[in-house]
Amino acid sequence: DPASQAYERGIRPGDVLVKVGGTEVKSVDDVTAAVDAAQQAGEGFVIVRVQRAGPDGQAATMTVDLSLA
């Protein structure tokens, strides 16, 4: 969704979330649990590590801070 915070921060369709906070992501449940834990700990944001396939087929990794507000 182009209006979402994730899109504004650079996350695009097809990107793979590999880590949220300190949690390695293997499923959507991992993402939900990591965000919930950060909110319960009173964190204002969560760091998301994203992997994207580049035009040459090589994977690139980037880190994005997402607000939990």
Side-chain angles (χ1 to χ4, degrees), residues 1 3-11 64-69:
D1 176 7
S4 72
Q5 180 189 180
Y7 192 90
E8 289 175 7
R9 299 290 179 144
I11 298 175
V64 179
D65 295 344
L66 295 179
S67 172
L68 295 177

Side-chain angles (χ1 to χ4, degrees), residues 22-65:
T23 303
E24 289 191 31
V25 174
K26 293 182 174 52
S27 71
V28 173
D29 291 338
D30 293 337
V31 175
T32 302
V35 170
D36 288 347
Q39 288 175 322
Q40 290 177 2
E43 300 293 332
F45 67 94
V46 66
I47 297 171
V48 179
R49 186 165 299 229
V50 179
Q51 192 169 52
R52 175 182 299 161
D56 59 359
Q58 295 292 326
T61 303
M62 65 181 196
T63 303
V64 179
D65 295 344

